[in-house]
Amino acid sequence: MTRTRFAPSPNGPLHLGHAYAALVAHDTARERGGRFILRIEDIDGERSRTEFVEEFLCDLEWLGLAWDGEAVFQSHRLASYTAAGDRLRAMGLLYPCTCTRAEIAAAARETGPDGPVYPGTCRHRETDPAHAAWRLDVGAAMALAGPLDWVDETAGLQIATPQVFGDVVLLRKDLPASYHLAATLDDATDGITLVTRGMDLFAASHVHRLLQALLDLPVPTWLHHPLLVEANGRKLAKRRGAPSLGDRRRAGEDGRAIARALRAGVLPAGISFSQGVHQAP
Ligand code: GLU
C-alpha cells in the first residue's frame, strides 16, 4: 500500500510552496488508496517552535488535507539516529571532522548541490571526536555498497551518485543527526513507500539511497515535484515575503479554494512552477 508523508520543519510558518508539497503527498496517497503521514522534522531544538507545529496542523485542516494517525515527531526518535550512527561508525564508515564552514569554503575545489564540496580534510587526520561532526566516507561507503540505483516516478531510473555532495555530515556537532540521516531512517520507520518532495531535494536522494543500502533499509520510490518560484526563479520563502498560510487563514481566506486552485495549476500573479530544478537554487 502506498504511504506518503509531508515532513515540514517547524522553524517558520508554512507558505504556498509547502501547501503544494502537502497536497502532492496527500492527493497521491488518496488517489492510490494509501496513507498520508504527517511528520514534524523538529530535531533542531534551537530553531523548532511548538507554536509552528500548532499552526501547521491548523493550516493543513484549513486546506482540507487530513493525515492518517497521529503526527509523528523526529524529536521522539533521537535514539534511533544515535544507534544508526554507532552502526556506521562500527563499520568504519564515519570519521570526525572539526572543520568550520569558512575552512571548508576556503579548501573546497568543487561546488555541489549544497555548496562547497568538503575536500576530505579530516578523513585521515587526528581530531577530537568530542567536538566533531561525523562525516560519511562516501568513497568507502560506495565501495562497500556497490552500484546503486533508484527511481523517480517522473524522472525515471537514476544511478546513485552521492559523491556529488562529498563526505556528507551524518551526525552534527550540535544536533543528534543531520537531515540526511534522520529523514532516511524516518522514512523507513514510517513505512514510506513513495517519498514526495520538491525538486530542490532531488540530489539528496542519492545520499539517502546509499544510507538505505548501508543500513539495510527498504527502498522507496521518489516523486520530486516542481517548486513554486518567484518571477526571478527563486523558490518561495517566508524571508522574501511569501505570505504565510496562517496569515491567510486568519484573514478569512478559504483554504479549500486555495487547494483547488493549486490542484488546477492556478497560481497567484508573479508565481510559477519551476521546470526541472534538480539542484538547490
Ligand atoms: N523537513 C524538510 C523541509 O522542510 C522536508 C524534507 C523532505 O521532505 O525530505 O524542507
Side-chain angles (χ1 to χ4, degrees):
M1 183 202 283
T2 300
R3 283 171 75 92
T4 66
R5 84 306 194 273
F6 175 52
S9 305
N11 51 24
L14 302 182
H15 53 61
L16 202 60
H18 297 109
Y20 183 68
L23 207 108
V24 170
H26 169 274
D27 289 5
T28 308
R30 295 291 172 251
E31 277 157 22
R32 299 179 190 186
R35 297 278 181 271
F36 168 58
I37 308 303
L38 174 60
R39 183 169 76 226
I40 306 295
E41 301 215 319
D42 60 346
I43 31 172
D44 190 342
E46 286 281 300
R47 296 174 65 212
S48 297
R49 298 268 175 280
T50 46
E51 307 86 88
F52 289 128
V53 178
E54 284 155 24
E55 287 272 292
F56 292 179
L57 306 184
C58 295
D59 292 341
L60 290 174
E61 277 169 16
W62 173 73
L63 291 165
L65 306 179
W67 58 95
D68 293 300
E70 298 284 325
V72 293
F73 290 79
Q74 287 195 325
S75 56
H76 298 175
R77 295 175 165 176
L78 305 186
S80 73
Y81 310 145
T82 308
D86 289 345
R87 181 166 163 192
L88 293 170
R89 207 182 279 113
M91 291 163 80
L93 295 176
L94 299 190
Y95 63 88
C97 168
T98 49
C99 293
T100 63
R101 259 175 211 276
E103 283 165 350
I104 296 169
R109 292 179 297 275
E110 292 163 75
T111 304
D114 274 350
V117 173
Y118 179 69
T121 319
C122 290
R123 199 182 297 133
H124 304 292
R125 187 162 84 169
E126 283 294 310
T127 45
D128 176 5
H131 302 286
W134 288 80
R135 291 184 179 272
L136 180 67
D137 184 335
V138 171
M142 286 296 281
L144 185 69
L148 298 170
D149 54 33
W150 56 277
V151 175
D152 176 275
E153 284 199 357
T154 310
L157 184 70
Q158 307 294 314
I159 303 300
T161 55
Q163 57 278 18
V164 294
F165 284 89
D167 289 350
V168 283
V169 170
L170 292 190
L171 304 169
R172 287 174 45 172
K173 252 180 247 185
D174 49 338
L175 295 182
S178 69
Y179 158 68
H180 294 306
L181 183 63
T184 304
L185 288 168
D186 282 357
D187 284 338
T189 303
D190 296 330
I192 302 305
T193 62
L194 179 66
V195 173
T196 70
R197 62 180 167 222
M199 286 283 197
D200 54 336
L201 289 168
F202 192 96
S205 301
H206 293 304
V207 176
H208 300 187
R209 179 66 189 87
L210 173 58
L211 291 175
Q212 285 152 4
L214 298 174
L215 295 167
D216 303 310
L217 302 173
V219 182
T221 302
W222 281 263
L223 175 60
H224 294 92
H225 56 73
L227 301 174
L228 268 60
V229 294
E230 298 167 353
N232 57 14
R234 294 167 83 183
K235 71 175 185 173
L236 294 195
K238 174 68 183 155
R239 66 178 183 284
R240 289 196 287 274
S244 74
L245 298 180
D247 287 346
R248 298 180 67 172
R249 175 162 50 77
R250 281 181 289 272
E253 282 193 61
D254 179 348
R256 286 170 192 259
I258 290 174
R260 272 197 301 279
L262 280 174
R263 286 187 179 105
V266 178
L267 298 176
I271 296 177
S272 54
F273 286 109
S274 66
Q275 294 300 324
V277 182
H278 285 195
Q279 304 270 312

